[in-house]
Amino acid sequence: MIRLALSTLRQHRGAYAGTFFAALLAVALLAGGGLLLASVLTAKPPADRFAAAPIVVSGDRDVTVEKVTTKQKKKKDKVKRKVKVKSEQLTGAGTLPADLAGRLDNLPGVAAATADVAFPVQAGTPHGLLLRGADDAPVIGHGWSSAQLTPYSLRTGEAPGPGQVVIDADLANRSGTPVGGRLVVTTKTGVRTLVVSGVAAPAGRDGLPAQGALFVADSDVASVSGLPGPTAVAILARPDADPVALRKAVEGVAGDAPVLTGADRVRADLPGALPDYIGPISIFGFVIGITAFAAVFVLTGTVTLGVRQRLRELALLRTAGATPAQLRRLLGVESVLLAGVAALPGIPLGVVFAHVVAARFRELGAVPAQFVVQTNVIVLIAATAAGMLVTFIGARVAGRRAVRIAPTQALAENANAPTGGLVLRTALAVVTTAGAFALLIAVPLDGPLGMGMSFVSCALLLCAVAALGPLLVRVLTTPVSRLIGIGGAIGWLAGLITRAERRRVAAVAVPLVLMFAINATMLLNSVLLNELTGREQAARTAAATAQVTAPGGLPLSTVRELLALDGVTGAAATLPTRAIVEQGGKPEDYATQGLLVAGAEAALDLDLRAGTLPGDGTFAASEYVTEQYGWRVGDDVRVWLADGYQVQLRLAGVYARARGFGDLVLPADLVAAHDPRGLVSTVGLRYRGDVPERFAASWPSLRLTPTLGVAPAGDIQNQQGAWELMVVISLGFTAIAVVNTFAIATAARRREFADLRLAGATTRQLHRLVGREAMITVTVGLALGVLVTAIVVGAFGSAQDGTLWVFVDAATYAGMLGGVAALGLVAGAVPARVLLRRRSLPALSDGR
């Protein structure tokens, strides 16, 4: 069987070229997407910060909630107790008792217990240059005594005293700040100008790869950081200490605080100082989901079209005594061999694809700058196996009816596979359509799952279109072909051919449906979200006369000085953070704003639907969150702040304008006390008189700009860029698939074109015929694509703001329609021109 399969592949190289190309692209995309996802799942930041300490005691880094359920066993007196534990990572760092380092220092086997107070700082030169670590990493402040943990050592200068600072060599080199220079350091406790007393660096390098380092005097740590205690305590062991016994002793003193060793020590660092891979996991998961679906969809259709070209050959084998089972095995072996050969160039192409996509995502800021694609042999083998499996399944499905072809078809002018399977196809279409509508109706599309569920719904509807392809094409082809076929014999013949060859039309039209629907849905939904976010941001800030911002943020103390200016009639300061709430034993993390409101005139409009803005002991929540949790104004809710501090707050109000803002609003003082940065991002201001002049004189480094419209935040722009890149990936693959499918379908018509030439048709007439057929096919494909897109985008848009959005952006919609139509027409015409350009076509007696 293998020898026969190899012989068939060699003999029909041209017929199998399209399937080979589709398998190559499928393997490449699966390999590339798999490498990206595997790399981000296994990415771990280095434990350099605590490299010198074998044991580290950490403050809280996550919130853990236990849900206990009990169930009475039947016919028994025992009660079954089940405990579920769910955790959510904090964005800040919990602190440890101030005396913990002293207590640990007295343990046997401990050479020294060093407290590390880690806190983010906004560092800059007096000339306004902001400092960042390598790869645009944040700058983290510490007390000088913790420098030995990495270990840092002085290259020049001396240890910091009160009002002084030591910076790492990387910061010193890029900022051009020498010993004796000055740095402006901003933390949540205020703005300070510190003198650089020295430059330090780890051995053999200028700084850490994931953060810039800045050290203040130990006596200044509390006043600069605003923290009540250390964020971690590192244990330096004596040479003769027993590691196991020492850890047990440390755990006994540390209590509930995590005791970390080995690679886990990195978890003791400040979360904001470490690369965040939670977002990239969802991004690359979505990338591989899109590519996998498109690859399976396209590859299955291509294999099916290729098998249909060989109906007469299969019928001839039936006349020679081959059974349907033997033909199915032959098709399966051929597909596996073909996919295996295609994987040889597909795998290196997938590696290149992964590196190119990762580089672009790094530029967009959608993944950490430190992210590196790791070549994983297991992933590459899995991608190869997946490509071979999909090709095999496609061949088996395509051969299900083809191998039942009657032997007499070998002598017929045109071989046709037995029809059937309508019941199975209809059942599959009903199930997938029902699933799509269930998701669109039942899942809250205005929440974080909206974009993902809209893609899944679109995929299910596309499966329904593929299942009923010939039937849907038959319904649409009749009116479309009659309309486009108007105008002479060629149009009439094109309509006749497309109506008769509905399976071939369906095979070519379905990739067009996929190309338009998947990409239009992603792009239009992303554009809609960005547009709605921009509108809500503009509406929130419209009441303010001006917006006050500063690079990196403002301390609350500075904001209060600003608000005390004569002539300020209203202000609203927002302080971004994250907060965690719990429902049903599961903690959930939400974007949150600390809010400080002053003055008689409102400077921020959240569109309150119930209650009031928060004050001491209260908070406000978005409509989405209150609906999800069933909260009502007056309810008491347990909230965990960024550092894990737990507080009970009463719901004071419900607001509607949450896009680009956050789902929770807390008092600004509470947020500043428990967020590692604790800086105000924006102050909306209303004023009278010469406030701008006095503002500029008092704070020359701050910016006061009129509220003429607020641009989307940087993270929203990054998300938009990430979505557009995913559209480019999907669009590129589906475009190649469309061209490939048209080429396969055209190559199978050599005998048909030869018959028309012998009947007297000219090459020009054949070109016109193929063009009309392509117009009919493209119109049918776009009609189905528009239908699928309208359903998904309409449901998604309606969930966002109650408006039945269909076009969203007319220019984008027209561009997608025009681009897909142009590609389809070109893809239909070019292969025919190449085929008809040959000096001769097969004669009627040629059975190939």
Side-chain angles (χ1 to χ4, degrees), residues 45 49-50 58 60-61 89-95 116-121 138-142 210-211 227 231-232 265-276 642-643 674-677:
R49 177 69 198 127
F50 301 101
S58 169
D60 291 331
R61 296 297 184 269
Q89 186 176 348
L90 292 169
T91 54
T95 56
D116 179 35
V117 181
F119 53 96
V121 301
V139 178
I140 307 299
H142 305 271
Q211 57 183 274
L227 297 176
T231 54
R265 291 171 298 169
V266 72
R267 293 169 48 201
D269 210 342
L270 192 68
L274 303 175
D276 181 15
D643 63 353
H674 296 281
D675 184 89
R677 293 193 63 83

mmCIF file of all heavy atoms in Angstrom, residues 45 49-50 58 60-61 89-95 116-121 138-142 210-211 227 231-232 265-276 642-643 674-677:
data_model
loop_
_atom_site.group_PDB
_atom_site.id
_atom_site.type_symbol
_atom_site.label_atom_id
_atom_site.label_comp_id
_atom_site.label_asym_id
_atom_site.label_seq_id
_atom_site.Cartn_x
_atom_site.Cartn_y
_atom_site.Cartn_z
ATOM 1 N N PRO A 45 11.083 34.486 34.933
ATOM 2 C CA PRO A 45 12.104 35.512 35.158
ATOM 3 C C PRO A 45 13.239 34.954 35.998
ATOM 4 O O PRO A 45 13.036 34.038 36.806
ATOM 5 C CB PRO A 45 11.346 36.617 35.909
ATOM 6 C CG PRO A 45 10.197 35.906 36.554
ATOM 7 C CD PRO A 45 9.827 34.791 35.637
ATOM 8 N N ARG A 49 17.583 38.685 41.737
ATOM 9 C CA ARG A 49 17.461 39.632 42.844
ATOM 10 C C ARG A 49 17.888 39.007 44.163
ATOM 11 O O ARG A 49 18.436 39.678 45.026
ATOM 12 C CB ARG A 49 16.013 40.126 42.916
ATOM 13 C CG ARG A 49 15.726 41.067 44.058
ATOM 14 C CD ARG A 49 16.425 42.400 43.860
ATOM 15 N NE ARG A 49 16.501 43.136 45.119
ATOM 16 C CZ ARG A 49 17.593 43.632 45.644
ATOM 17 N NH1 ARG A 49 18.744 43.472 45.028
ATOM 18 N NH2 ARG A 49 17.576 44.289 46.785
ATOM 19 N N PHE A 50 17.648 37.724 44.344
ATOM 20 C CA PHE A 50 17.999 37.041 45.584
ATOM 21 C C PHE A 50 19.011 35.926 45.323
ATOM 22 O O PHE A 50 18.975 34.875 45.957
ATOM 23 C CB PHE A 50 16.739 36.467 46.247
ATOM 24 C CG PHE A 50 15.707 37.508 46.573
ATOM 25 C CD1 PHE A 50 14.601 37.684 45.762
ATOM 26 C CD2 PHE A 50 15.851 38.333 47.681
ATOM 27 C CE1 PHE A 50 13.653 38.648 46.048
ATOM 28 C CE2 PHE A 50 14.909 39.305 47.977
ATOM 29 C CZ PHE A 50 13.805 39.463 47.163
ATOM 30 N N SER A 58 8.767 35.640 52.022
ATOM 31 C CA SER A 58 8.060 36.631 51.209
ATOM 32 C C SER A 58 6.782 37.081 51.881
ATOM 33 O O SER A 58 6.156 36.327 52.641
ATOM 34 C CB SER A 58 7.733 36.022 49.832
ATOM 35 O OG SER A 58 6.844 36.832 49.120
ATOM 36 N N ASP A 60 2.766 38.470 51.184
ATOM 37 C CA ASP A 60 1.726 37.914 50.314
ATOM 38 C C ASP A 60 1.961 38.342 48.875
ATOM 39 O O ASP A 60 2.226 39.513 48.588
ATOM 40 C CB ASP A 60 0.347 38.383 50.767
ATOM 41 C CG ASP A 60 -0.063 37.786 52.106
ATOM 42 O OD1 ASP A 60 0.393 36.672 52.403
ATOM 43 O OD2 ASP A 60 -0.828 38.435 52.836
ATOM 44 N N ARG A 61 1.826 37.377 47.952
ATOM 45 C CA ARG A 61 1.909 37.674 46.528
ATOM 46 C C ARG A 61 0.644 37.245 45.788
ATOM 47 O O ARG A 61 0.519 37.456 44.600
ATOM 48 C CB ARG A 61 3.122 36.989 45.897
ATOM 49 C CG ARG A 61 4.463 37.468 46.429
ATOM 50 C CD ARG A 61 4.699 38.943 46.136
ATOM 51 N NE ARG A 61 6.019 39.384 46.553
ATOM 52 C CZ ARG A 61 6.295 39.893 47.744
ATOM 53 N NH1 ARG A 61 5.335 40.030 48.655
ATOM 54 N NH2 ARG A 61 7.522 40.288 48.050
ATOM 55 N N GLN A 89 -3.321 36.237 41.571
ATOM 56 C CA GLN A 89 -2.059 36.923 41.821
ATOM 57 C C GLN A 89 -2.288 38.400 42.107
ATOM 58 O O GLN A 89 -3.107 39.063 41.477
ATOM 59 C CB GLN A 89 -1.139 36.775 40.607
ATOM 60 C CG GLN A 89 0.250 37.328 40.807
ATOM 61 C CD GLN A 89 1.146 37.081 39.612
ATOM 62 O OE1 GLN A 89 0.806 36.322 38.724
ATOM 63 N NE2 GLN A 89 2.291 37.729 39.589
ATOM 64 N N LEU A 90 -1.548 38.908 43.094
ATOM 65 C CA LEU A 90 -1.614 40.327 43.423
ATOM 66 C C LEU A 90 -0.723 41.128 42.475
ATOM 67 O O LEU A 90 0.264 40.612 41.944
ATOM 68 C CB LEU A 90 -1.138 40.551 44.864
ATOM 69 C CG LEU A 90 -2.027 39.992 45.981
ATOM 70 C CD1 LEU A 90 -1.279 40.049 47.314
ATOM 71 C CD2 LEU A 90 -3.330 40.765 46.074
ATOM 72 N N THR A 91 -1.066 42.386 42.313
ATOM 73 C CA THR A 91 -0.217 43.275 41.522
ATOM 74 C C THR A 91 0.761 44.041 42.411
ATOM 75 O O THR A 91 1.638 44.735 41.897
ATOM 76 C CB THR A 91 -1.076 44.277 40.744
ATOM 77 O OG1 THR A 91 -1.951 44.958 41.652
ATOM 78 C CG2 THR A 91 -1.924 43.557 39.709
ATOM 79 N N GLY A 92 0.587 43.929 43.705
ATOM 80 C CA GLY A 92 1.497 44.550 44.660
ATOM 81 C C GLY A 92 2.120 43.495 45.545
ATOM 82 O O GLY A 92 2.020 42.297 45.285
ATOM 83 N N ALA A 93 2.767 43.949 46.609
ATOM 84 C CA ALA A 93 3.466 43.031 47.505
ATOM 85 C C ALA A 93 3.031 43.299 48.939
ATOM 86 O O ALA A 93 3.099 44.432 49.417
ATOM 87 C CB ALA A 93 4.975 43.193 47.373
ATOM 88 N N GLY A 94 2.592 42.248 49.594
ATOM 89 C CA GLY A 94 2.298 42.373 51.013
ATOM 90 C C GLY A 94 3.582 42.526 51.818
ATOM 91 O O GLY A 94 4.652 42.054 51.419
ATOM 92 N N THR A 95 3.496 43.201 52.948
ATOM 93 C CA THR A 95 4.688 43.438 53.765
ATOM 94 C C THR A 95 4.730 42.466 54.938
ATOM 95 O O THR A 95 3.715 41.893 55.346
ATOM 96 C CB THR A 95 4.700 44.875 54.290
ATOM 97 O OG1 THR A 95 3.484 45.142 55.010
ATOM 98 C CG2 THR A 95 4.821 45.859 53.144
ATOM 99 N N ASP A 116 14.462 43.224 52.801
ATOM 100 C CA ASP A 116 14.430 43.905 51.506
ATOM 101 C C ASP A 116 13.109 44.650 51.376
ATOM 102 O O ASP A 116 12.031 44.040 51.390
ATOM 103 C CB ASP A 116 14.573 42.902 50.362
ATOM 104 C CG ASP A 116 14.510 43.585 48.991
ATOM 105 O OD1 ASP A 116 15.009 44.719 48.893
ATOM 106 O OD2 ASP A 116 13.970 42.977 48.053
ATOM 107 N N VAL A 117 13.183 45.955 51.269
ATOM 108 C CA VAL A 117 12.004 46.780 51.040
ATOM 109 C C VAL A 117 12.047 47.204 49.572
ATOM 110 O O VAL A 117 12.869 48.038 49.183
ATOM 111 C CB VAL A 117 11.984 48.011 51.966
ATOM 112 C CG1 VAL A 117 10.731 48.842 51.713
ATOM 113 C CG2 VAL A 117 12.051 47.576 53.430
ATOM 114 N N ALA A 118 11.190 46.592 48.756
ATOM 115 C CA ALA A 118 11.167 46.882 47.318
ATOM 116 C C ALA A 118 9.960 47.762 47.004
ATOM 117 O O ALA A 118 8.844 47.476 47.428
ATOM 118 C CB ALA A 118 11.091 45.584 46.519
ATOM 119 N N PHE A 119 10.188 48.832 46.266
ATOM 120 C CA PHE A 119 9.103 49.751 45.932
ATOM 121 C C PHE A 119 9.408 50.411 44.586
ATOM 122 O O PHE A 119 10.563 50.748 44.290
ATOM 123 C CB PHE A 119 8.942 50.819 47.019
ATOM 124 C CG PHE A 119 10.202 51.564 47.350
ATOM 125 C CD1 PHE A 119 10.484 52.795 46.764
ATOM 126 C CD2 PHE A 119 11.136 51.034 48.240
ATOM 127 C CE1 PHE A 119 11.648 53.483 47.070
ATOM 128 C CE2 PHE A 119 12.307 51.715 48.542
ATOM 129 C CZ PHE A 119 12.571 52.948 47.960
ATOM 130 N N PRO A 120 8.402 50.577 43.737
ATOM 131 C CA PRO A 120 8.634 51.228 42.446
ATOM 132 C C PRO A 120 8.872 52.716 42.618
ATOM 133 O O PRO A 120 8.275 53.362 43.485
ATOM 134 C CB PRO A 120 7.333 50.964 41.676
ATOM 135 C CG PRO A 120 6.316 50.768 42.731
ATOM 136 C CD PRO A 120 7.005 50.149 43.904
ATOM 137 N N VAL A 121 9.752 53.266 41.809
ATOM 138 C CA VAL A 121 10.036 54.694 41.853
ATOM 139 C C VAL A 121 9.973 55.245 40.437
ATOM 140 O O VAL A 121 10.197 54.528 39.454
ATOM 141 C CB VAL A 121 11.416 54.992 42.467
ATOM 142 C CG1 VAL A 121 11.508 54.451 43.884
ATOM 143 C CG2 VAL A 121 12.526 54.418 41.613
ATOM 144 N N PRO A 138 10.891 48.656 34.610
ATOM 145 C CA PRO A 138 10.698 49.653 35.670
ATOM 146 C C PRO A 138 11.931 49.786 36.552
ATOM 147 O O PRO A 138 12.798 48.912 36.581
ATOM 148 C CB PRO A 138 9.512 49.080 36.460
ATOM 149 C CG PRO A 138 9.578 47.607 36.218
ATOM 150 C CD PRO A 138 10.070 47.446 34.817
ATOM 151 N N VAL A 139 11.996 50.911 37.261
ATOM 152 C CA VAL A 139 13.064 51.140 38.231
ATOM 153 C C VAL A 139 12.494 50.833 39.615
ATOM 154 O O VAL A 139 11.443 51.358 39.994
ATOM 155 C CB VAL A 139 13.569 52.592 38.171
ATOM 156 C CG1 VAL A 139 14.651 52.818 39.219
ATOM 157 C CG2 VAL A 139 14.103 52.902 36.776
ATOM 158 N N ILE A 140 13.198 49.994 40.356
ATOM 159 C CA ILE A 140 12.738 49.559 41.669
ATOM 160 C C ILE A 140 13.712 50.065 42.730
ATOM 161 O O ILE A 140 14.935 49.916 42.589
ATOM 162 C CB ILE A 140 12.630 48.021 41.756
ATOM 163 C CG1 ILE A 140 11.777 47.489 40.606
ATOM 164 C CG2 ILE A 140 12.048 47.595 43.099
ATOM 165 C CD1 ILE A 140 10.358 48.008 40.587
ATOM 166 N N GLY A 141 13.171 50.673 43.765
ATOM 167 C CA GLY A 141 13.988 51.167 44.866
ATOM 168 C C GLY A 141 14.145 50.130 45.972
ATOM 169 O O GLY A 141 13.266 49.290 46.181
ATOM 170 N N HIS A 142 15.273 50.194 46.682
ATOM 171 C CA HIS A 142 15.574 49.287 47.793
ATOM 172 C C HIS A 142 16.375 50.057 48.840
ATOM 173 O O HIS A 142 16.919 51.133 48.575
ATOM 174 C CB HIS A 142 16.410 48.081 47.338
ATOM 175 C CG HIS A 142 15.824 47.298 46.213
ATOM 176 N ND1 HIS A 142 14.954 46.253 46.412
ATOM 177 C CD2 HIS A 142 15.985 47.397 44.865
ATOM 178 C CE1 HIS A 142 14.609 45.746 45.242
ATOM 179 N NE2 HIS A 142 15.227 46.425 44.285
ATOM 180 N N ALA A 210 15.643 42.483 34.186
ATOM 181 C CA ALA A 210 14.208 42.749 34.271
ATOM 182 C C ALA A 210 13.863 44.019 35.026
ATOM 183 O O ALA A 210 12.693 44.344 35.158
ATOM 184 C CB ALA A 210 13.493 41.563 34.919
ATOM 185 N N GLN A 211 14.830 44.757 35.543
ATOM 186 C CA GLN A 211 14.509 45.950 36.324
ATOM 187 C C GLN A 211 15.744 46.817 36.518
ATOM 188 O O GLN A 211 16.863 46.326 36.575
ATOM 189 C CB GLN A 211 13.938 45.564 37.689
ATOM 190 C CG GLN A 211 14.865 44.682 38.509
ATOM 191 C CD GLN A 211 14.259 44.257 39.836
ATOM 192 O OE1 GLN A 211 14.347 44.967 40.817
ATOM 193 N NE2 GLN A 211 13.636 43.088 39.833
ATOM 194 N N LEU A 227 6.210 52.222 53.102
ATOM 195 C CA LEU A 227 5.839 50.871 53.511
ATOM 196 C C LEU A 227 6.093 50.671 54.997
ATOM 197 O O LEU A 227 7.106 51.143 55.530
ATOM 198 C CB LEU A 227 6.627 49.835 52.710
ATOM 199 C CG LEU A 227 6.380 49.832 51.189
ATOM 200 C CD1 LEU A 227 7.300 48.823 50.503
ATOM 201 C CD2 LEU A 227 4.927 49.511 50.887
ATOM 202 N N THR A 231 9.223 43.883 52.238
ATOM 203 C CA THR A 231 8.445 43.042 51.338
ATOM 204 C C THR A 231 9.009 41.619 51.269
ATOM 205 O O THR A 231 8.323 40.711 50.801
ATOM 206 C CB THR A 231 8.435 43.644 49.925
ATOM 207 O OG1 THR A 231 9.781 43.863 49.490
ATOM 208 C CG2 THR A 231 7.686 44.967 49.918
ATOM 209 N N ALA A 232 10.232 41.436 51.743
ATOM 210 C CA ALA A 232 10.846 40.110 51.793
ATOM 211 C C ALA A 232 12.005 40.157 52.781
ATOM 212 O O ALA A 232 12.568 41.228 53.053
ATOM 213 C CB ALA A 232 11.344 39.670 50.419
ATOM 214 N N ARG A 265 12.407 31.550 44.488
ATOM 215 C CA ARG A 265 12.781 32.794 45.169
ATOM 216 C C ARG A 265 12.366 34.033 44.387
ATOM 217 O O ARG A 265 12.130 35.101 44.971
ATOM 218 C CB ARG A 265 14.304 32.823 45.381
ATOM 219 C CG ARG A 265 14.827 31.814 46.386
ATOM 220 C CD ARG A 265 16.351 31.786 46.353
ATOM 221 N NE ARG A 265 16.840 31.360 45.049
ATOM 222 C CZ ARG A 265 18.104 31.442 44.665
ATOM 223 N NH1 ARG A 265 19.007 31.973 45.480
ATOM 224 N NH2 ARG A 265 18.479 31.022 43.482
ATOM 225 N N VAL A 266 12.232 33.892 43.058
ATOM 226 C CA VAL A 266 11.855 35.044 42.244
ATOM 227 C C VAL A 266 10.475 35.558 42.628
ATOM 228 O O VAL A 266 10.158 36.732 42.432
ATOM 229 C CB VAL A 266 11.918 34.668 40.754
ATOM 230 C CG1 VAL A 266 10.771 33.740 40.378
ATOM 231 C CG2 VAL A 266 11.901 35.915 39.880
ATOM 232 N N ARG A 267 9.637 34.699 43.204
ATOM 233 C CA ARG A 267 8.287 35.120 43.589
ATOM 234 C C ARG A 267 8.306 36.113 44.741
ATOM 235 O O ARG A 267 7.297 36.781 45.006
ATOM 236 C CB ARG A 267 7.458 33.897 43.977
ATOM 237 C CG ARG A 267 7.156 32.953 42.819
ATOM 238 C CD ARG A 267 6.565 31.645 43.309
ATOM 239 N NE ARG A 267 5.492 31.875 44.259
ATOM 240 C CZ ARG A 267 5.082 30.965 45.131
ATOM 241 N NH1 ARG A 267 5.677 29.776 45.184
ATOM 242 N NH2 ARG A 267 4.088 31.241 45.951
ATOM 243 N N ALA A 268 9.447 36.228 45.432
ATOM 244 C CA ALA A 268 9.540 37.177 46.539
ATOM 245 C C ALA A 268 9.790 38.591 46.062
ATOM 246 O O ALA A 268 9.697 39.536 46.854
ATOM 247 C CB ALA A 268 10.664 36.749 47.486
ATOM 248 N N ASP A 269 10.109 38.770 44.783
ATOM 249 C CA ASP A 269 10.348 40.111 44.265
ATOM 250 C C ASP A 269 9.029 40.845 44.104
ATOM 251 O O ASP A 269 7.940 40.260 44.143
ATOM 252 C CB ASP A 269 11.085 40.041 42.935
ATOM 253 C CG ASP A 269 11.981 41.253 42.706
ATOM 254 O OD1 ASP A 269 11.765 42.270 43.382
ATOM 255 O OD2 ASP A 269 12.883 41.169 41.865
ATOM 256 N N LEU A 270 9.119 42.138 43.892
ATOM 257 C CA LEU A 270 7.939 42.957 43.677
ATOM 258 C C LEU A 270 7.279 42.540 42.360
ATOM 259 O O LEU A 270 7.940 42.486 41.322
ATOM 260 C CB LEU A 270 8.348 44.426 43.618
ATOM 261 C CG LEU A 270 7.236 45.464 43.681
ATOM 262 C CD1 LEU A 270 6.582 45.463 45.053
ATOM 263 C CD2 LEU A 270 7.807 46.845 43.366
ATOM 264 N N PRO A 271 5.953 42.226 42.372
ATOM 265 C CA PRO A 271 5.310 41.783 41.120
ATOM 266 C C PRO A 271 5.510 42.753 39.967
ATOM 267 O O PRO A 271 5.714 42.335 38.827
ATOM 268 C CB PRO A 271 3.833 41.668 41.518
ATOM 269 C CG PRO A 271 3.863 41.372 42.977
ATOM 270 C CD PRO A 271 5.037 42.132 43.525
ATOM 271 N N GLY A 272 5.470 44.043 40.211
ATOM 272 C CA GLY A 272 5.652 45.007 39.141
ATOM 273 C C GLY A 272 7.051 45.035 38.575
ATOM 274 O O GLY A 272 7.284 45.603 37.502
ATOM 275 N N ALA A 273 8.008 44.420 39.282
ATOM 276 C CA ALA A 273 9.389 44.382 38.801
ATOM 277 C C ALA A 273 9.641 43.189 37.892
ATOM 278 O O ALA A 273 10.705 43.092 37.286
ATOM 279 C CB ALA A 273 10.351 44.326 39.983
ATOM 280 N N LEU A 274 8.679 42.272 37.805
ATOM 281 C CA LEU A 274 8.868 41.058 37.033
ATOM 282 C C LEU A 274 8.060 41.121 35.744
ATOM 283 O O LEU A 274 6.971 41.699 35.707
ATOM 284 C CB LEU A 274 8.422 39.837 37.850
ATOM 285 C CG LEU A 274 9.109 39.668 39.201
ATOM 286 C CD1 LEU A 274 8.499 38.499 39.947
ATOM 287 C CD2 LEU A 274 10.604 39.455 39.020
ATOM 288 N N PRO A 275 8.550 40.537 34.663
ATOM 289 C CA PRO A 275 7.775 40.497 33.418
ATOM 290 C C PRO A 275 6.447 39.789 33.640
ATOM 291 O O PRO A 275 6.377 38.747 34.295
ATOM 292 C CB PRO A 275 8.684 39.699 32.470
ATOM 293 C CG PRO A 275 10.062 39.845 33.037
ATOM 294 C CD PRO A 275 9.882 39.911 34.517
ATOM 295 N N ASP A 276 5.369 40.362 33.114
ATOM 296 C CA ASP A 276 4.032 39.806 33.277
ATOM 297 C C ASP A 276 3.669 38.995 32.039
ATOM 298 O O ASP A 276 3.587 39.530 30.934
ATOM 299 C CB ASP A 276 3.020 40.941 33.477
ATOM 300 C CG ASP A 276 1.604 40.419 33.669
ATOM 301 O OD1 ASP A 276 1.458 39.216 33.928
ATOM 302 O OD2 ASP A 276 0.657 41.223 33.555
ATOM 303 N N ALA A 642 -4.162 45.979 46.269
ATOM 304 C CA ALA A 642 -3.026 45.505 45.476
ATOM 305 C C ALA A 642 -1.992 44.756 46.294
ATOM 306 O O ALA A 642 -1.325 43.853 45.787
ATOM 307 C CB ALA A 642 -2.371 46.679 44.753
ATOM 308 N N ASP A 643 -1.825 45.122 47.562
ATOM 309 C CA ASP A 643 -0.828 44.451 48.410
ATOM 310 C C ASP A 643 -1.417 43.308 49.227
ATOM 311 O O ASP A 643 -0.749 42.782 50.123
ATOM 312 C CB ASP A 643 -0.157 45.467 49.339
ATOM 313 C CG ASP A 643 -1.142 46.112 50.306
ATOM 314 O OD1 ASP A 643 -2.367 45.878 50.168
ATOM 315 O OD2 ASP A 643 -0.701 46.870 51.191
ATOM 316 N N HIS A 674 -2.017 51.321 49.711
ATOM 317 C CA HIS A 674 -1.811 49.882 49.525
ATOM 318 C C HIS A 674 -1.418 49.495 48.106
ATOM 319 O O HIS A 674 -1.283 48.309 47.820
ATOM 320 C CB HIS A 674 -3.083 49.133 49.929
ATOM 321 C CG HIS A 674 -3.425 49.274 51.380
ATOM 322 N ND1 HIS A 674 -2.798 48.538 52.369
ATOM 323 C CD2 HIS A 674 -4.301 50.095 52.018
ATOM 324 C CE1 HIS A 674 -3.283 48.886 53.549
ATOM 325 N NE2 HIS A 674 -4.190 49.834 53.373
ATOM 326 N N ASP A 675 -1.221 50.463 47.238
ATOM 327 C CA ASP A 675 -0.704 50.166 45.907
ATOM 328 C C ASP A 675 0.796 50.460 45.897
ATOM 329 O O ASP A 675 1.231 51.459 46.469
ATOM 330 C CB ASP A 675 -1.405 51.025 44.853
ATOM 331 C CG ASP A 675 -0.968 50.663 43.439
ATOM 332 O OD1 ASP A 675 -1.596 49.776 42.843
ATOM 333 O OD2 ASP A 675 -0.002 51.275 42.942
ATOM 334 N N PRO A 676 1.621 49.610 45.269
ATOM 335 C CA PRO A 676 3.070 49.842 45.310
ATOM 336 C C PRO A 676 3.483 51.182 44.703
ATOM 337 O O PRO A 676 4.397 51.832 45.201
ATOM 338 C CB PRO A 676 3.652 48.655 44.531
ATOM 339 C CG PRO A 676 2.513 48.101 43.742
ATOM 340 C CD PRO A 676 1.286 48.372 44.538
ATOM 341 N N ARG A 677 2.806 51.596 43.628
ATOM 342 C CA ARG A 677 3.132 52.894 43.039
ATOM 343 C C ARG A 677 2.367 54.003 43.741
ATOM 344 O O ARG A 677 2.944 54.987 44.177
ATOM 345 C CB ARG A 677 2.802 52.913 41.541
ATOM 346 C CG ARG A 677 3.690 51.993 40.707
ATOM 347 C CD ARG A 677 3.522 52.288 39.223
ATOM 348 N NE ARG A 677 3.941 53.641 38.882
ATOM 349 C CZ ARG A 677 5.191 54.002 38.641
ATOM 350 N NH1 ARG A 677 6.164 53.119 38.745
ATOM 351 N NH2 ARG A 677 5.477 55.248 38.323
#
